[in-house]
């Protein structure tokens, strides 16, 4: 029971203590403290701290030293570093303070359970100051009477602590206030010092870990003065063209200090300074004449000074001033060279003389003109030719030979030494060998092997090779004792240059040796464009053009051709750069290929555009091997067909195109039965000219002779009378005239029941009809018949005429007349009506005359009759009449016949036995 109350009392006491404690930074101050309080420690040293507990905490809290825990930044220090001195004191030891951090705290476990912070300290770690070193002072002249002194030193290592520096100085018997640096720790300026008195100067450094002083410096301030630079500098030209005179003012009294000087100068535009020898200006002065300068050259000058004995410091350089020397005659003649053009005349040549303008240091003034003298070496007696020019070139046309050319430059003062160039008639001397180039340090170096003979000098020619501009020659002279030099022109990268080297001898010159070179190479600007020259079945000839010099950007080392099909792998072929044509072989026929080409320099390659082509389906000669036999076979078949047709021409003509007469070309209108035309039957062409009648048969029948004919013979007449009413108006006039139309109908073969013989040939007939009543005048009518009645084959056989006597007797009379009039007769006047001739004993006898037209001469009516038979038949017709009347034919073109003269009828008949009659 007592122990429980004792525990309660202890808890209440601890609680009251905690509530009544003054807390600072979270640490309990009343129960203990740490010794030392906020120490400053040297880095790497040993350190021991003590935590001392108050007696009051021991009695009421049961807190003892063995319960103390040490921490660094809340990190527990190992127990091995603890030491319990007594029941109230515990220590901790650190052998190396470099591992020590802040804060360092002392903590305790109350009743072994609750950790409580007792006290804590801040630990500062650093280094003591080092001894300042390298103390030096300088007196800067600010004005003519003001000389402040500035001292600088090396403060040493960083101490990690707040370290203070002081500059201390004194005279032997007098001390002065310390000079404290502002914002820096390595320099301090004393406002004013006295000359000619020794002054002791040192530096003191101090921090929490100690103090340090530099070695003392004893000096007279006059020995460390840096004076102001001379001012009001001026430059004037002297009497001589190589001298300029300088003048200035010093800003320090000679009583205080005697000075010596340094003078520097440079050509304007140049960065390299030249200096007057120091011994020439090692005495006090205010002017100086600079000698050995270039005539007519602008210089920049600057000057400085210091104590005459060399003790102290040089002043800064003065402001720069410029001056120009006067002119002098040129120091050397211009470098000269020539270019010889091939002349159309073998006896002369064109020489382009050119020389370089003198450099300013060589011209020594303004060049006014050049004097050029040309002297022929082959003819010493002839006077030399002189030319005065203001340019640096001259073109002359000279006869072939050896010449000596002299060029002299003139300025205001005088003339230059002459420059001589020997132009030999031919370059017969030894040339240089092994010309080579090498890019180096951004320049193009050219080297060569010298010939064995002594060379006065070398001329190096070069020009930019370009397709867009001409090759403009640049050149330079080099001494004869060297074998390599850099080109002095503006050499550009990725450009091709043609370099030529000529050795010049005392009595001539060697031929030039050339080489092409690049200062820097690059890939080509574009690739070659490839095309096909010829495409076959398994090969293709590719062609391309070389890249221009501007596109190459370097030396083309090789070409590579890449080709492939649409779905195939790409194949590469390397081609020599000198080639412009290549043949691809082993290709697949009738296949589309894609080809491209790359050009390579030393720096890489670039591809040209793609090009496509298709190989042929057939090779050379394959198509000819197929086409030629086919054509020959076709020609053979055609030839055989022509021969067959020629042999069977009659049969083919009969079945394909039978000859059909054209009534529109008939000349029946011009035919006169009374005057039969005599025709020459000896010639087929004369007998049947184009457009003429081919066959005309006319038979005269009297009206009262009807009874003498058989029924068979008169049957066609009855048929015509029956068809009269249906054929009117169908036929037009014969020969194409509308005036010949007749109300009589034409005879046709379309009579029903009478077409017993059929053929594919259609023959047209012309019928002459005479008809009328007994007391009326008959009308003469010509009517066209559209009969398709074929001709009999027997009509073409002459033997049929022998047995035709009976038929001829029944018809009593006939005559035949062939018409030969042209088609132009269709324009003649219309036929006139004739008087009707009718016998008194026959009231309505119709007379017929039918004209048969055929296109073939073999179908002439009565072809088998002889000429005398035709004449006899004609006489019988004219003289015979049943009623004692005479009938005469009337011509178409004549006047109408009288009633007595009009024939009673005309009936076309065939003269052969077995011929057809109109039906």
């Amino acid at each position: 029971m007592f122990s429980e109350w004792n525990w309660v009392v202890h808890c209440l006491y601890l609680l009251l203590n905690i509530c009544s404690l003054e807390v600072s930074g979270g640490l309990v101050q009343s129960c203990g403290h740490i010794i030392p309080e906020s120490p400053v420690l040297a880095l790497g040293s040993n350190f021991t701290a003590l935590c001392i507990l108050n007696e009051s905490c021991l009695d009421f809290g049961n807190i003892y030293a063995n319960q103390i825990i040490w921490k660094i930044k809340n990190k527990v220090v190992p127990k091995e570093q603890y030491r319990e001195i007594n029941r109230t004191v515990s220590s901790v030891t650190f052998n190396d303070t470099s591992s020590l951090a802040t804060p360092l705290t002392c903590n305790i476990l109350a009743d072994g359970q609750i950790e409580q912070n007792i006290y804590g300290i801040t630990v500062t770690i650093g280094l003591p100051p080092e001894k300042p070193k390298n103390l030096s002072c300088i007196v800067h002249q600010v004005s003519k009477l003001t000389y402040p002194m500035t001292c600088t030193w090396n403060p040493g290592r960083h101490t990690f602590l707040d370290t203070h520096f002081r500059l201390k100085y004194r005279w032997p018997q007098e001390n002065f206030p310390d000079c404290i640096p502002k914002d820096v720790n390595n320099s301090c300026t004393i406002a004013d010092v006295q000359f000619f008195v020794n002054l002791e100067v040192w530096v003191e450094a101090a921090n929490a870990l100690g103090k340090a002083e530099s070695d003392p410096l004893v000096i007279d301030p006059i020995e460390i003065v840096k004076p102001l630079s001379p001012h009001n500098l001026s430059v004037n030209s002297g009497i001589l063209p190589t001298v300029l005179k300088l003048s200035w003012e010093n800003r320090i009294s000679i009583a205080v200090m005697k000075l010596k000087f340094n003078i520097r100068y440079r050509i304007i535009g140049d960065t390299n300074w030249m200096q007057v020898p120091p011994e020439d200006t090692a005495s006090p002065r205010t002017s100086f004449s600079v000698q050995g300068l270039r005539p007519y050259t602008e210089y920049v000058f600057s000057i400085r000074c210091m104590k005459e004995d060399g003790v102290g410091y040089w002043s800064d350089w003065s402001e720069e001033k410029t001056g120009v020397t006067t002119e002098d005659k040129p120091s050397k003649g211009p470098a000269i060279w020539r270019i010889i053009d091939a002349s159309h005349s073998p006896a002369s040549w064109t020489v382009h003389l050119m020389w370089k303008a003198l450099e300013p240091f060589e011209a020594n003034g303004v060049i006014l003109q050049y004097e050029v003298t040309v002297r022929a070496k082959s003819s010493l007696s002839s006077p030399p030719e002189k030319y005065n020019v203001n340019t640096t070139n001259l073109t002359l046309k000279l006869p072939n030979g050896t010449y000596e050319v002299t060029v002299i430059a003139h300025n205001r003062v005088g003339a230059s030494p002459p420059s001589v160039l020997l132009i030999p008639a031919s370059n017969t001397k030894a040339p240089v060998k092994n010309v080579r180039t090498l890019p180096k340090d951004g320049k193009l170096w050219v080297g060569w092997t010298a010939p064995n003979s002594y060379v006065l000098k070398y001329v190096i020619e070069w020009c930019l090779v370009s397709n867009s501009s001409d090759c403009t020659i640049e050149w330079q002279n080099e001494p004869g004792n060297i074998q390599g030099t850099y080109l002095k022109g503006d050499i550009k990268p990725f450009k091709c240059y043609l370099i030529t080297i000529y050795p010049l001898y005392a009595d001539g010159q060697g031929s030039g040796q050339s080489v092409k070179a690049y200062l820097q190479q690059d890939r080509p600007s574009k690739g070659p464009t490839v095309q096909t020259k010829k495409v076959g079945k398994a090969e293709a000839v590719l062609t391309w053009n070389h890249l221009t010099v501007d596109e190459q950007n370097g030396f083309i080392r090789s070409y590579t051709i890449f080709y492939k099909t649409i779905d195939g792998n790409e194949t590469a072929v390397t081609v020599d750069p000198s080639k412009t044509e290549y043949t691809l072989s082993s290709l697949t026929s009738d296949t589309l290929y894609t080809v491209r080409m790359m050009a390579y320099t030393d720096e890489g390659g670039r591809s040209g555009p793609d090009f496509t082509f298709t190989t042929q389906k057939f090779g050379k000669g394959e198509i000819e091997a197929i086409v030629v036999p086919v054509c020959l076979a076709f020609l053979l078949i055609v030839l055989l067909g022509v021969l067959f047709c020629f042999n069977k021409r009659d049969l083919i003509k009969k079945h394909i195109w039978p000859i059909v007469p054209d009534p529109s070309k008939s000349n029946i209108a011009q035919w006169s039965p009374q005057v039969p035309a005599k025709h020459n039957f000896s010639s087929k062409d004369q007998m049947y000219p184009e457009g003429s009648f081919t066959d005309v048969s006319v038979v005269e029948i009297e009206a009262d002779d009807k009874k003498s004919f058989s029924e068979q013979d008169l049957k066609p007449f009855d048929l015509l009378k029956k068809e009269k009413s249906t054929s009117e108006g169908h036929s037009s006039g014969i020969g194409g005239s509308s005036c010949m139309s007749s109300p009589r109908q034409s005879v046709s073969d379309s009579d029903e029941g009478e077409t017993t013989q059929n053929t594919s040939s259609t023959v047209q007939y012309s019928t002459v009809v005479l008809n009328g009543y007994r007391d009326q005048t008959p009308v003469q009518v010509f009517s066209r018949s559209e009969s398709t009645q074929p001709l009999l084959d027997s009509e073409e056989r002459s033997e049929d005429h022998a047995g035709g006597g009976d038929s001829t007797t029944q018809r009593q009379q006939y005559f035949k007349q062939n018409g030969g009039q042209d088609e132009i007769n269709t324009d003649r006047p219309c036929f006139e009506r004739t008087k009707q001739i009718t016998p008194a004993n026959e009231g309505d006898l119709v007379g017929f005359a039918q004209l048969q037209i055929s296109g073939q001469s073999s179908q002439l009516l009565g072809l088998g009759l002889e000429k005398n038979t035709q004449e006899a038949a004609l006489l019988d017709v004219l003289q015979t009449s049943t009623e004692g009347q005479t009938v005469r034919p009337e011509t178409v073109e004549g006047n109408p016949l009288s009633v007595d003269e009009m024939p009673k009828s005309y009936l076309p008949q065939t003269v052969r036995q077995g011929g057809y009659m109109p039906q």
Side-chain angles (χ1 to χ4, degrees), residues 268-332:
I268 194 167
D270 195 358
T271 57
N272 298 322
W273 289 94
M274 295 170 283
Q275 192 168 332
V276 175
E279 58 272 15
D280 294 344
T281 57
S283 58
R285 64 183 63 237
T286 56
S287 64
F288 186 79
S289 294
V290 181
Q291 302 178 9
L293 303 178
R294 295 175 181 172
Y296 201 67
T297 305
E298 186 176 8
Y299 286 90
V300 179
F301 292 90
S302 183
I303 189 172
R304 66 178 181 175
C305 62
M306 73 174 300
K307 196 168 179 291
E308 183 182 16
D309 55 6
V311 177
Y313 299 93
W314 285 102
S315 68
D316 294 330
W317 289 102
S318 67
E319 61 180 348
E320 296 177 353
K321 292 293 183 179
T322 60
V324 180
T325 55
T326 58
E327 286 189 71
D328 195 5
K329 62 182 180 180
S331 58
K332 61 177 295 186

Side-chain angles (χ1 to χ4, degrees), residues 166-221:
R166 292 176 179 270
L167 178 63
K168 295 179 176 292
Y169 62 100
R170 65 185 178 183
W171 285 345
Q173 291 85 20
E174 185 178 355
N175 294 327
F176 297 98
D178 296 342
C179 178
I180 300 175
K182 295 180 180 181
D183 302 327
V184 293
N185 62 354
N186 64 340
S187 67
C188 190
T189 298
I190 300 172
D192 197 8
V193 294
Q194 297 295 324
F195 294 149
F196 309 112
V197 178
N198 288 336
L199 185 66
E200 183 181 2
V201 182
W202 73 95
V203 179
E204 181 185 84
N207 63 15
L209 296 179
K211 291 183 179 181
E213 292 183 352
S214 68
D215 293 333
L217 177 65
V218 179
I219 55 172
D220 184 352

Side-chain angles (χ1 to χ4, degrees), residues 555-596:
F555 294 111
I556 301 298
R557 301 302 184 186
S558 66
Y559 291 119
T560 301
I561 300 174
F562 299 90
Y563 65 97
K564 65 175 182 177
T565 58
I566 295 178
D567 54 353
N569 295 327
E570 192 170 56
T571 304
V573 179
T574 302
V575 183
D576 188 86
S578 61
K579 304 293 185 182
T580 58
E581 187 176 296
Y582 185 80
T583 301
L584 299 179
S585 58
S586 301
L587 302 180
T588 305
S589 63
D590 195 21
T591 303
L592 179 66
Y593 281 88
T594 301
V595 63
R596 62 186 177 91

Side-chain angles (χ1 to χ4, degrees), residues 837-866:
I837 306 176
T838 307
N841 59 351
E842 189 69 21
D844 193 15
L845 179 61
V846 180
F848 298 93
Q850 186 179 44
L851 177 64
Q852 180 179 356
I853 305 172
S854 175
Q856 297 183 14
S857 60
S858 62
Q859 294 178 349
L860 292 173
L861 297 177
L863 183 61
L865 299 179
E866 295 297 330

Side-chain angles (χ1 to χ4, degrees), residues 30-284:
S30 60
C31 286
H33 61 278
I34 297 176
I35 299 176
E37 183 79 20
S38 300
V40 176
L41 306 177
L43 185 65
S45 62
N46 295 330
F47 172 66
T48 300
L50 300 175
C51 181
I52 302 173
L53 300 176
N54 295 336
E55 292 291 338
S56 59
C57 293
L58 298 178
D59 296 337
F60 299 99
N62 292 327
I63 299 175
Y64 300 99
N66 58 0
Q67 297 174 319
I68 293 176
I69 298 175
W70 293 91
K71 288 186 176 182
I72 301 174
K73 277 189 175 182
N74 296 325
K75 182 179 180 181
V76 177
V77 178
K79 295 286 188 180
E80 292 78 10
Q81 297 178 229
Y82 298 175
R83 179 185 176 192
E84 183 181 354
I85 298 176
N86 54 38
R87 60 191 296 251
T88 60
V89 178
S90 175
S91 67
V92 64
T93 301
F94 299 94
N95 294 326
D96 188 357
T97 55
S98 59
S99 61
L100 189 60
T102 190
L104 176 62
T105 60
C106 175
N107 305 278
I108 193 169
L109 287 175
D111 292 329
Q113 299 295 330
I114 301 174
E115 182 179 324
Q116 193 70 35
N117 188 292
I118 299 298
Y119 201 78
I121 61 174
T122 300
V123 179
T124 303
I125 299 175
L127 295 172
E130 283 187 330
K131 176 182 178 181
K133 300 177 182 178
N134 300 330
L135 176 62
S136 62
C137 298
I138 182 172
V139 176
H140 292 276
Q141 182 185 8
V142 177
S143 65
K144 198 168 186 177
L145 299 176
T146 304
Y147 299 90
M149 183 178 72
T150 300
C151 296
T152 59
W153 60 88
N154 182 2
R157 65 189 179 186
H158 183 46
T159 63
F160 306 103
L161 301 175
D162 187 11
T163 303
H164 301 282
F165 292 87
R166 292 176 179 270
L167 178 63
K168 295 179 176 292
Y169 62 100
R170 65 185 178 183
W171 285 345
Q173 291 85 20
E174 185 178 355
N175 294 327
F176 297 98
D178 296 342
C179 178
I180 300 175
K182 295 180 180 181
D183 302 327
V184 293
N185 62 354
N186 64 340
S187 67
C188 190
T189 298
I190 300 172
D192 197 8
V193 294
Q194 297 295 324
F195 294 149
F196 309 112
V197 178
N198 288 336
L199 185 66
E200 183 181 2
V201 182
W202 73 95
V203 179
E204 181 185 84
N207 63 15
L209 296 179
K211 291 183 179 181
E213 292 183 352
S214 68
D215 293 333
L217 177 65
V218 179
I219 55 172
D220 184 352
I222 194 67
E223 296 176 353
I224 56 174
V225 173
K226 181 180 180 180
L228 291 173
S229 59
H231 68 127
N232 295 333
L233 179 62
S234 63
V235 181
N236 298 307
S237 58
I239 300 175
L240 299 176
T242 59
V243 176
L244 288 176
K245 183 177 181 180
L246 280 64
S247 301
W248 65 88
E249 294 179 4
N250 297 320
R251 290 189 283 184
I252 189 170
S253 174
I254 193 172
V256 175
M257 182 185 297
K258 291 184 179 181
L259 302 173
K260 67 177 182 179
F261 303 90
N262 270 353
I263 299 175
R264 67 176 184 179
Y265 60 96
R266 62 180 174 85
I267 299 174
I268 194 167
D270 195 358
T271 57
N272 298 322
W273 289 94
M274 295 170 283
Q275 192 168 332
V276 175
E279 58 272 15
D280 294 344
T281 57
S283 58

Side-chain angles (χ1 to χ4, degrees), residues 241 295-296 326-334 356-371 407-419:
Y296 201 67
T326 58
E327 286 189 71
D328 195 5
K329 62 182 180 180
S331 58
K332 61 177 295 186
K356 291 184 177 293
L358 295 174
E359 298 291 338
F361 65 89
E362 298 170 340
N364 296 336
V366 178
I367 301 299
L368 302 178
Q369 67 176 8
Y370 297 95
E371 180 183 337
V407 178
I408 299 174
H410 293 268
N411 63 9
R412 295 186 183 93
V413 177
S416 68
S419 296

Side-chain angles (χ1 to χ4, degrees), residues 483-703:
Q483 297 186 25
T485 185
Y486 288 99
L487 297 185
K488 298 176 182 178
D490 182 18
I491 308 299
K492 300 178 181 179
F494 317 135
K495 299 296 183 181
C496 180
Y497 289 90
L498 179 63
I499 303 170
T500 307
I501 301 177
Y502 296 89
L504 301 185
Y505 301 92
D507 55 350
Q509 71 179 42
S511 59
Q513 298 296 309
S514 301
V515 66
K516 289 185 178 180
Y518 285 87
L519 176 62
Q520 182 180 350
Q521 297 190 52
D522 195 8
R523 295 191 309 158
S525 301
K526 58 180 288 189
T529 300
V530 64
Q531 294 179 337
T532 53
K533 181 179 180 181
K534 181 181 179 183
V535 179
K537 178 179 179 182
E539 69 281 336
V541 180
L542 304 180
T543 182
W544 62 91
N545 293 325
H546 288 301
L547 295 178
T548 63
V549 177
D550 296 331
E551 295 170 343
Q552 292 179 6
N553 296 335
F555 294 111
I556 301 298
R557 301 302 184 186
S558 66
Y559 291 119
T560 301
I561 300 174
F562 299 90
Y563 65 97
K564 65 175 182 177
T565 58
I566 295 178
D567 54 353
N569 295 327
E570 192 170 56
T571 304
V573 179
T574 302
V575 183
D576 188 86
S578 61
K579 304 293 185 182
T580 58
E581 187 176 296
Y582 185 80
T583 301
L584 299 179
S585 58
S586 301
L587 302 180
T588 305
S589 63
D590 195 21
T591 303
L592 179 66
Y593 281 88
T594 301
V595 63
R596 62 186 177 91
M597 194 170 187
M598 289 188 71
Y600 291 89
T601 64
D602 294 337
E603 298 298 323
R606 194 177 297 275
S607 178
D610 290 347
F611 180 79
T612 58
F613 67 91
T614 302
T615 54
Q616 295 183 0
K617 189 173 183 179
F618 300 99
K620 182 179 180 180
E622 292 183 1
I623 297 178
E624 291 81 353
I626 296 173
V627 173
V628 171
V630 171
C631 294
L632 292 177
F634 177 76
L635 292 176
L636 181 60
I637 292 172
V638 171
L639 182 60
L640 292 176
V642 171
L643 293 176
F644 176 80
C645 293
F646 181 77
N647 292 331
K648 301 294 182 179
R649 61 186 182 277
D650 295 335
L651 182 61
I652 293 173
K653 184 175 181 181
K654 176 180 179 181
H655 287 82
I656 296 179
W657 53 81
I659 301 299
V660 178
D662 187 359
S664 65
K665 299 181 181 181
S666 174
N667 290 332
I668 191 64
Q670 300 176 4
W671 170 70
S672 174
Q674 291 182 341
V675 186
K678 293 184 178 182
H679 198 284
N680 183 12
F681 294 94
S682 62
S683 173
K684 185 183 294 185
D685 294 336
Q686 296 177 1
M687 188 174 184
Y688 305 112
E690 183 180 358
S692 65
F693 287 109
T694 58
D695 249 337
V696 178
S697 297
V698 180
V699 177
E700 182 182 358
I701 301 174
E702 291 188 3

